Amino acid sequence: MTLKEESQRFTKLLFKAFYDCDTDAELALQQLETLFITIRNRACPDIKNKPCKLWSDFKENIPDLYCSLKKDAEAIYNNDPASKSIEEIYLAYPGFFAISIYRMARVFFKLNLPFIPRLMTEYAHSITGIDIHPGATIGDSFFIDHGTGLVIGETTEIHNNVKVYQGVTLGALTVKKQHQNTKRHPTIEQNVTIYANATILGGNTIIGENSVIGGNTWLTESVPKNSIVTHNHQVEIFAKLKK
């Protein structure tokens, strides 16, 4: 539980160091270094006080991480007519918060440190309802609109300039344990839009670039580039009978 709590502290402090003008960035970095060592040692007690993954290994990723998140914020601002400013996105958009924590956790994931990446993304999941596995690969300028109920599985690949709405599932066709080291989740190529409650499953499923996936669709096979996929749902309206 201490590892979980300290991982959350690290996550919140890093987010504040990036976006809170009242946070002293230099002081925050010093505190983050202490927290990094604490959670690293708790996650990997066998390497405590031994050379392993160092704060410098994480710190060198911060400039790229900040630039990547700036592109995500700009994608939200440019695509959502309800957004009034970048500052509003930093403060109020759950999609941006979930993307931010995913990208931070992704650094830990690539450093092969156990537990910490999942604890970070599950923290974001508990706050936003957006579940992004830190093993997923997500390109630049990723736009989540609303986002509640969004699920992105471990081996998902998302290319640049993708837009995803609430309730979308990018999942696996099978949950058998023997397939854990295989590509189980779909690939979403660049400039794709996926509307609310669409479900796309399978490691061999590729959504071609510039495609639009309509709401409530269910896909387990690939879609060529420049496609529009819709779900036919009949709505009938009847007049009430007067007594």
Side-chain angles (χ1 to χ4, degrees):
M1 291 304 297
T2 300
L3 174 59
K4 183 176 182 177
E5 291 166 0
E6 295 297 87
S7 296
Q8 291 180 2
R9 280 187 62 203
F10 181 94
T11 304
K12 287 186 281 189
L13 183 56
L14 183 57
F15 190 85
K16 287 178 68 177
F18 278 1
Y19 303 114
D20 181 15
C21 62
D22 293 326
T23 296
D24 185 323
E26 288 300 321
L27 178 59
L29 285 173
Q30 296 173 18
Q31 296 171 336
L32 285 165
E33 181 175 6
T34 301
L35 282 169
F36 177 89
I37 294 169
T38 298
I39 59 180
R40 181 205 65 180
N41 289 347
R42 286 191 174 273
C44 307
D46 53 317
I47 55 91
K48 184 177 182 180
N49 298 323
K50 296 179 182 179
C52 181
K53 303 302 180 184
L54 305 175
W55 167 242
S56 58
D57 296 322
F58 184 93
K59 188 177 178 181
E60 69 181 13
N61 289 278
I62 288 178
D64 289 341
L65 180 59
Y66 183 80
C67 290
S68 183
L69 290 174
K70 185 178 180 182
K71 292 178 183 178
D72 294 325
E74 289 171 347
I76 295 171
Y77 179 73
N78 291 331
N79 286 286
D80 184 5
S83 64
K84 302 299 187 291
S85 67
I86 292 292
E87 290 76 15
E88 181 186 24
I89 291 162
Y90 293 157
L91 283 169
Y93 275 62
F96 180 73
F97 184 77
I99 295 166
S100 298
I101 305 312
Y102 153 77
R103 294 205 189 277
M104 296 171 189
R106 179 71 176 164
V107 177
F108 280 99
F109 185 86
K110 291 192 288 188
L111 290 176
N112 294 315
L113 285 169
F115 304 122
I116 300 169
R118 286 300 303 274
L119 290 172
M120 293 174 72
T121 54
E122 285 305 319
Y123 168 63
H125 183 195
S126 68
I127 293 173
T128 65
I130 298 169
D131 184 2
I132 308 176
H133 195 286
T137 302
I138 301 177
D140 290 335
S141 302
F142 185 45
F143 171 41
I144 296 175
D145 197 7
H146 303 294
T148 305
L150 172 64
V151 177
I152 299 176
E154 180 183 17
T155 62
T156 303
E157 294 180 24
I158 298 175
H159 296 190
N160 298 337
N161 303 309
V162 168
K163 295 186 286 186
V164 178
Y165 288 75
Q166 68 272 15
V168 167
T169 297
L170 304 179
L173 271 171
T174 176
V175 293
K176 293 181 179 178
K177 194 68 175 179
Q178 60 266 34
H179 295 153
Q180 69 180 111
N181 295 319
T182 62
K183 175 90 165 64
R184 307 184 306 281
H185 304 90
T187 296
I188 313 299
E189 294 187 341
Q190 64 183 0
N191 303 319
V192 167
T193 298
I194 307 174
Y195 282 104
N197 299 313
T199 298
I200 304 172
L201 306 177
N204 295 322
T205 302
I206 300 173
I207 305 303
E209 62 184 51
N210 306 314
S211 293
V212 176
I213 309 301
N216 297 305
T217 53
W218 175 282
L219 289 171
T220 58
E221 58 185 50
S222 295
V223 171
K225 65 181 181 179
N226 303 313
S227 297
I228 297 177
V229 180
T230 61
H231 170 70
N232 291 323
H233 178 71
Q234 184 175 356
V235 177
E236 298 182 0
I237 302 174
F238 301 91
K240 287 184 177 180
L241 297 177
K242 292 183 179 181
K243 292 183 180 179

